């Protein structure tokens, strides 16, 4: 393994990107063997409009998701509890907890930074296709509720002409 006694700059361009069957794209940026990390990894997750990630869990490691842009719902646990984070919010996913990320917009993408206790970034991911039907069952209502929230927000005062 390579060792380092200085910071290592890893831009996302040229990093290892994996496009999943669900349309999302994971980009591993800080992970073994790209850097000499022993206990963490980091990357980004891009979810196009109208897409939902395949339910998954990290068998033995924790994860933190940081919403950078877009509107997402996180469905987690065996009951698929809903969290509605805003940009800047962080979501902690304990080890072995199933979760799925729903892009609430049909058009705009969601961009998420992911931090994991898995130095290989995706070594301990287990996809859970058995939960897909339960996730899909919730998506339409989540998107409908999201649209209702957007449409019912108060808009700023209209400027009057002089």
């Amino acid at each position: 393994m390579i060792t380092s006694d200085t910071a290592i700059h890893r831009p996302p361009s040229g990093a290892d990107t994996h496009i999943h069957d669900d349309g999302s794209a994971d980009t591993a940026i800080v992970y073994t063997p790209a850097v000499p990390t022993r206990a963490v990894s980091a990357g980004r997750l891009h979810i196009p409009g109208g897409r939902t990630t395949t339910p998954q869990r990290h068998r033995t490691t924790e994860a933190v998701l940081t919403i950078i842009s877009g509107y997402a719902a996180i469905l987690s646990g065996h009951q698929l509890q809903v969290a509605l984070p805003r940009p800047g919010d962080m979501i902690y996913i304990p080890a072995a907890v199933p979760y799925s990320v729903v892009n609430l917009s049909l058009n705009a993408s969601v961009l998420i930074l992911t931090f994991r206790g898995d130095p290989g970034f995706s070594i301990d991911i287990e996809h859970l296709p058995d939960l897909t039907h339960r996730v899909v069952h919730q998506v339409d209502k989540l998107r409908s509720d999201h649209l209702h929230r957007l449409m019912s927000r108060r808009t700023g005062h209209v400027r009057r002409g002089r």
Side-chain angles (χ1 to χ4, degrees):
M1 180 188 326
I2 301 169
T3 59
S4 177
D5 60 357
T6 63
I8 298 172
H9 176 209
R10 289 277 301 160
S13 59
D16 182 23
T17 297
H18 181 271
I19 299 175
H20 301 276
D21 292 340
D22 58 30
S24 65
D26 253 330
T27 302
I29 300 170
V30 174
Y31 68 106
T32 301
V35 298
T37 182
R38 293 182 302 239
V40 298
S41 61
R44 65 182 182 190
L45 173 63
H46 173 259
I47 306 169
R51 298 297 181 105
T52 300
T53 64
T54 301
Q56 63 181 304
R57 70 181 183 143
H58 303 273
R59 285 185 221 104
T60 60
T61 60
E62 304 161 302
V64 174
L65 309 178
T66 304
I67 307 301
I68 299 301
S69 64
Y71 295 99
I74 311 298
L75 304 178
S76 67
H78 295 286
Q79 300 304 315
L80 297 175
Q81 295 287 14
V82 177
L84 298 170
R86 301 171 103 165
D89 289 354
M90 293 183 161
I91 298 90
Y92 168 71
I93 310 286
V97 170
Y99 73 98
S100 181
V101 182
V102 178
N103 184 339
L104 296 174
S105 172
L106 294 176
N107 302 313
S109 292
V110 168
L111 184 60
I112 299 173
L113 292 182
T114 61
F115 304 91
R116 299 178 183 163
D118 165 13
F121 191 69
S122 59
I123 300 299
D124 77 338
I125 290 178
E126 178 183 6
H127 291 282
L128 304 169
D130 294 348
L131 288 178
T132 300
H133 176 73
R134 290 180 46 211
V135 168
V136 169
H137 182 73
Q138 293 187 45
V139 169
D140 286 342
K141 180 164 179 12
L142 287 167
R143 288 192 176 126
S144 175
D145 290 350
H146 168 69
L147 184 59
H148 178 73
R149 280 190 303 276
L150 287 178
M151 299 305 287
S152 63
R153 283 186 184 166
R154 291 183 75 191
T155 58
H157 296 306
V158 177
R159 295 174 80 184
R160 294 183 188 172
R162 294 184 182 203

